[in-house]
């Protein structure tokens, strides 16, 4: 996505009606019961912004909040630390994202019809990036840091008919990476 279009696209993504739906989901799941500063709705807005701006780290997100007055006004935050973002990210249950995804799928079906919506949804590919740590003495070829080994796995799954299926070639690659390669 072109970073120059972020301003207008961001406003479209966080339309008040959508935020009301997300807020209702958060209330139903009782996620923000004791939260004071960074509630789940603000967190969701912030991560939509981060995705649109292609921000690659929590440090970068924290920096943008501290230095962008319009973003501060939109979120109602003056600043947020990367550790607060990290804690919130780990505290959020996956059910919130599942509920938001279900709502978005339902909205697609309402706007363009069940058949055409399902056809379009068959084309959704979800991508995740995860680091798998290894013992440095056994996997010297996978040097990740000075004291440990690891590989970064980019996993792509296909979302089809409500089922999530991993891409087969990635499963084979993962099997090969986990087996120690004694020739290196």
């Amino acid at each position: 996505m072109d970073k120059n279009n972020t301003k207008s696209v961001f406003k479209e993504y966080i339309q008040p009606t959508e935020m009301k739906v997300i807020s209702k989901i958060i209330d139903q799941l009782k996620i923000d019961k004791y939260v004071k500063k960074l509630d789940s709705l603000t967190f969701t807005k912030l991560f939509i912004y981060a995705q649109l701006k292609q921000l690659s780290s929590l440090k970068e997100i924290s920096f943008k909040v501290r230095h962008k007055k319009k973003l501060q006004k939109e979120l109602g935050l003056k600043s947020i630390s990367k550790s607060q973002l990290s804690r919130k990210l780990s505290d959020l249950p996956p059910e919130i994202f599942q509920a938001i995804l279900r709502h978005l799928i339902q909205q697609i079906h309402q706007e363009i019809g069940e058949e055409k919506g399902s056809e379009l949804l068959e084309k959704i590919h979800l991508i995740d990036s995860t680091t798998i740590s290894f013992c440095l003495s056994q996997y010297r070829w996978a040097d990740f840091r000075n004291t440990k080994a690891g590989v970064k796995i980019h996993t792509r799954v296909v979302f089809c008919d409500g089922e999530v299926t991993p891409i087969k070639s990635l499963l084979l690659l993962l099997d090969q990476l986990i087996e120690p390669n004694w020739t290196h």
Side-chain angles (χ1 to χ4, degrees):
M1 170 163 285
D2 185 6
K3 288 184 180 184
N4 296 329
N5 294 334
T6 303
K7 187 175 179 182
S8 61
V9 174
F10 184 56
K11 286 290 185 186
E12 289 178 32
Y13 271 112
I14 60 169
Q15 291 176 355
T17 55
E18 293 304 315
M19 289 300 114
K20 286 179 185 174
V21 170
I22 294 171
S23 185
K24 187 177 178 182
I25 292 167
I26 291 166
D27 290 344
Q28 287 172 347
L29 295 172
K30 297 179 180 158
I31 295 171
D32 287 338
K33 194 171 185 178
Y34 300 107
V35 173
K36 293 180 183 173
K37 184 174 181 179
L38 184 59
D39 61 68
S40 299
L41 189 60
T42 303
F43 181 82
T44 303
K45 287 180 185 180
L46 182 56
F47 270 74
I48 290 170
Y49 173 82
Q51 178 65 35
L52 292 172
K53 292 294 261 181
Q54 300 173 4
L55 304 179
S56 61
S57 70
L58 297 178
K59 184 178 180 180
E60 206 174 344
I61 294 168
S62 174
F63 179 84
K64 290 288 184 182
V65 171
R66 241 186 344 271
H67 294 92
K68 295 282 186 182
K69 296 291 182 196
K70 288 182 181 180
L71 182 60
Q72 289 175 1
K73 185 178 177 185
E74 179 66 42
L75 299 173
L77 288 174
K78 292 282 185 198
S79 66
I80 194 77
S81 70
K82 64 181 182 179
S83 60
Q84 287 173 302
L85 292 171
S86 178
R87 278 193 302 276
K88 186 66 175 184
L89 187 57
S90 66
D91 288 346
L92 276 179
E95 291 83 15
I96 179 120
F97 301 111
Q98 291 170 345
I100 292 170
L101 179 61
R102 278 194 301 275
H103 169 71
L104 292 172
I105 290 169
Q106 181 183 29
Q107 193 174 25
I108 289 169
H109 284 152
Q110 287 174 351
E111 287 187 24
I112 62 174
E114 188 83 26
E115 188 176 318
K116 191 170 183 179
S118 294
E119 184 180 312
L120 283 173
L121 289 173
E122 287 181 13
K123 298 176 184 175
I124 292 180
H125 293 254
L126 306 170
I127 300 172
D128 177 51
S129 176
T130 303
T131 302
I132 299 175
S133 297
F134 295 129
C135 174
L136 185 58
S137 63
Q138 286 186 319
Y139 299 95
R140 292 190 190 281
W141 57 268
D143 61 325
F144 179 65
R145 292 198 178 112
N146 291 339
T147 57
K148 71 181 194 179
V151 291
K152 190 153 208 155
I153 299 290
H154 297 276
T155 307
R156 189 173 87 187
V157 296
V158 177
F159 180 79
C160 183
D161 295 329
E163 296 289 322
V164 177
T165 310
I167 303 299
K168 190 174 184 176
S169 62
L170 287 173
L171 291 175
L172 295 172
L173 175 64
L174 185 58
D175 285 341
Q176 291 170 356
L177 285 174
I178 292 176
E179 288 297 317
N181 188 342
W182 300 110
T183 60
H184 283 79

